[in-house]
Amino acid sequence: MITVFGSGAFGTALAISLAGNGPVCLWARDAAHADDMRKTRENKARLPGAALPAHVHVTAQMPEMPQEGIGLLAVPTQQLRSFLETHGDALRECHLVACCKGVETGTGLGPTRIIAERVPSAMPAILTGPSFAHDIARGMPTALTLACADVPAGKALQQALTTRNLRLYRTTDTIGAELGGALKNVVAIACGVTMGAGLGESARAAVMTRGYAEMFRMAAALGAEPDTLAGLSGFGDLALTCTSDQSRNYRFGQSLGRNEPFDTSITVEGAATAKAVLEQAKKMEIDMPITDAVVALIDGKLRVGQAMDMLLSRPLKEE
């Protein structure tokens, strides 16, 4: 049985899709939330309108994980370390697949490296790419990247996690896959700011393109393969997240651009990632002006007009 740890929208959607292959365990941190999902067969709080199939078993108890069992870690990146510190012993002989996007504040680590650090006996992987929970839950066709450094393990995971509507492409470049998924959220915030401030679609296209250049510079400096950033986990996810109101990061950016409050109960991975990435970029002397502007806007150190002036006044150069 595959276990999905985390009953947010994305974890629930994965459980619904994987239930087409067989039994799936969906773990919820909150017992009351788990009980409500069992009774209603729906995650009303995070994914309303999507019915939980009979094959989805919901629990708040830590399940017994078999040797080489598969655990999908659908918890926010900033909470991943604490989750593994609490439950790592039960997961020590598993294949652990991160289903979150971001860079940990303070360490600059991505999800697979957090897994390797906290549960060194487990086989880490990451599932990422252009996807919205509601699309997956509704059975809409979705293509994702599965990154695992171990080729045989990656092939086995690819077979186990492919469903009727989920097509998985495999790579061994875990660094590129996790950085693509993390950095595109920062660019999505910037694109949301652009549209929220009424600067137009041409400006959004420019921000998206130059943001992709920043993603490439950072990923290349950290050892990622260029082709990975051009694939689903990089360009593909960037295109989706920077153009749709379904993206939490994009909506957060729109709120910044309009100078409106944003619902603090909604996880915006790109906000924490932007700060972690900028700190790392400064240490490595990597030029990331859009990321710099996003952090300044989040911290209230710049207004949108000032940020735009800062970007437009940079020295002219070749593309």
Side-chain angles (χ1 to χ4, degrees):
M1 180 184 291
I2 296 170
T3 300
V4 181
F5 295 99
S7 58
F10 194 65
T12 302
L14 288 175
I16 291 171
S17 182
L18 288 165
N21 294 349
V24 178
C25 179
L26 177 61
W27 178 87
R29 180 180 56 184
D30 183 74
H33 185 206
D35 187 57
D36 184 68
M37 284 191 288
R38 280 195 300 270
K39 291 177 179 177
T40 64
R41 302 308 298 171
E42 184 181 346
N43 188 344
K44 293 182 179 180
R46 298 297 185 187
L47 198 62
L52 296 176
H55 277 322
V56 176
H57 169 67
V58 182
T59 183
Q61 302 295 319
M62 191 67 184
E64 291 188 12
M65 297 294 293
Q67 185 175 3
E68 296 190 358
I70 299 174
L72 304 185
L73 304 175
V75 299
T77 299
Q78 305 307 325
Q79 299 175 20
L80 182 58
R81 181 178 297 275
S82 61
F83 173 84
L84 294 175
E85 287 173 348
T86 302
H87 302 292
D89 285 345
L91 304 172
R92 61 184 180 277
E93 295 181 348
C94 296
H95 296 286
L96 296 181
V97 184
C99 301
C100 49
K101 301 170 183 178
V103 174
E104 187 180 42
T105 56
T107 68
L109 297 180
T112 60
R113 287 182 287 175
I114 296 172
I115 294 171
E117 188 175 285
R118 298 312 308 169
V119 192
S121 57
M123 175 57 65
I126 186 167
L127 184 65
T128 184
S131 55
F132 289 135
H134 280 282
D135 290 347
I136 294 174
R138 290 165 54 206
M140 305 297 284
T142 303
L144 299 173
T145 295
L146 174 72
C148 182
D150 184 279
V151 173
K155 288 181 177 180
L157 288 169
Q158 184 181 35
Q159 289 293 326
L161 300 178
T162 294
T163 72
R164 183 182 62 81
N165 67 305
L166 287 181
R167 178 176 175 83
L168 272 54
Y169 289 83
R170 181 172 44 83
T171 179
T172 57
D173 182 16
T174 56
I175 294 175
E178 65 186 12
L179 282 175
L183 298 174
K184 60 89 187 179
N185 282 336
V186 181
V187 183
I189 293 174
C191 286
V193 169
T194 302
M195 297 304 289
L199 299 176
E201 294 187 2
S202 296
R204 175 173 61 181
V207 170
M208 185 175 167
T209 306
R210 296 312 304 164
Y212 181 70
E214 288 190 20
M215 290 171 56
F216 195 91
R217 283 198 294 273
M218 172 62 87
L222 293 173
E225 297 174 11
D227 288 348
T228 306
L229 270 293
L232 289 165
S233 60
F235 176 76
D237 212 355
L238 179 73
L240 180 70
T241 313
C242 291
T243 58
S244 174
D245 286 340
Q246 289 192 64
S247 164
R248 294 167 296 181
N249 293 279
Y250 182 69
R251 294 201 311 273
F252 174 70
Q254 287 178 313
S255 295
L256 283 177
R258 295 169 182 154
N259 196 28
E260 296 174 349
F262 190 76
D263 186 351
T264 56
S265 69
I266 297 175
T267 300
V268 181
E269 290 278 22
T273 294
K275 296 179 181 181
V277 166
L278 184 61
E279 181 180 351
Q280 195 168 15
K282 288 180 176 178
K283 291 178 181 177
M284 299 175 68
E285 297 184 348
I286 300 171
D287 188 29
M288 301 189 75
I290 292 176
T291 302
D292 195 356
V294 167
V295 171
L297 287 167
I298 292 172
D299 290 342
K301 295 179 179 179
L302 283 181
R303 295 190 298 273
V304 175
Q306 293 172 316
M308 188 57 60
D309 289 343
M310 180 184 75
L311 293 173
L312 291 176
S313 64
R314 285 168 52 80
L316 299 176
K317 62 180 182 178
E318 291 185 355
E319 187 171 24

